[in-house]
Amino acid sequence: MISSVAMAQAQPVSRIVTLAPSLTEAVCALGHCAQLVGTDRHSTWPASVVALPKVGGLEDAQIERIVTLRPNLVLLGPRSRAGERLQALGVPVLMLDARTHADLKRMLVKLGEALGEPARAAELIARLDGELDAAAGRMPAALRGRSVYVEVGAGASAASDKSFIGETVAKLGLVNVVSGELGLFPKINPELLLRRPPDLIIGPRATLTNLSDRPGWSTLPAVRQQQLCLLDTERMDLLSRPGPRLGEAAHMLVECLKALPPR
């Protein structure tokens, strides 16, 4: 849809607005946090971005406010509705997508080019690969091969095996019970887990606290044996953002899984 890389390269990128937390984090990881002049409302890391002007979110980006910030690059994802409107107003826009590990690497390369940081982007990708390998190496042998269900939001939205989260748990040696045939982050029928009962359940504490209240779920091995990684908001944000902290998220999952009671 949108590509203003050439425009961004014609003049130094000095005023950046990001419309997704993962893009905010990527900008900072590439050394350009100081050039951020505004972010979406959900950007919380690093701490320095919290005080920046907030310009809405995925569905309600505040176009007029973005324009008043005078950005010479706005970064957004493919589901944002703001891109064409901003372009029509003469604002340079770059759409970046990261729904899989490969997408994330391509996104970092593209952003590195736009910011004049191709070498730094390559170093960041190599670091991510190393962190993922290190996390996989820390997984106890007893956990490898166990089946897992990863919930990412209300209404039983799950991370399938084709999503970046699904790829992360696969890297750790786990087997996702939600197939990518259903989509990257499908809303699942609760009966799916009764047909494919997982050994482990990972997800937000806010939605998983009363799992036994879901019809039939009290019989699931993961629930009966308390094999539940219940993540607070901060750790859930870490897991659900396809950005430069992907390796950190993998290590966080390993820590959570290692702390589970023995079966």
Side-chain angles (χ1 to χ4, degrees), residues 97-220:
D97 192 10
R99 294 180 292 175
T100 66
H101 286 192
D103 286 342
L104 172 59
K105 292 175 182 180
R106 283 189 289 268
M107 179 267 274
L108 291 172
V109 168
K110 197 171 180 181
L111 182 57
E113 291 171 349
L115 298 179
E117 301 283 0
R120 201 162 186 167
E123 291 170 4
L124 180 54
I125 291 168
R127 192 195 81 202
L128 284 174
D129 284 337
E131 289 174 345
L132 287 168
D133 287 341
R138 294 179 56 230
M139 274 288 281
L143 290 172
R144 289 186 164 275
R146 294 176 71 179
S147 59
V148 65
Y149 165 71
V150 185
E151 189 160 294
V152 293
S157 294
S160 79
D161 59 8
K162 299 300 184 190
S163 69
F164 72 93
I165 296 175
E167 290 177 332
T168 297
V169 298
K171 181 75 175 178
L172 299 179
L174 303 177
V175 180
N176 200 325
V177 299
V178 179
S179 168
E181 294 176 356
L182 299 175
L184 294 176
F185 296 99
K187 285 191 181 295
I188 67 157
N189 185 324
E191 292 183 1
L192 182 146
L193 264 65
L194 300 180
R195 295 194 303 271
R196 298 194 65 191
D199 299 316
L200 305 162
I201 294 177
I202 299 169
R205 181 178 298 276
T207 64
L208 295 180
T209 301
N210 298 314
L211 275 181
S212 294
D213 294 341
R214 300 185 186 184
W217 282 35
S218 60
T219 66
L220 296 176

Side-chain angles (χ1 to χ4, degrees), residues 217-237:
W217 282 35
S218 60
T219 66
L220 296 176
V223 177
R224 285 190 287 104
Q225 299 168 4
Q226 289 300 295
Q227 301 294 289
L228 311 172
C229 273
L230 305 180
L231 306 179
D232 57 24
T233 301
E234 185 176 333
R235 290 190 297 167
M236 200 62 212
D237 284 347

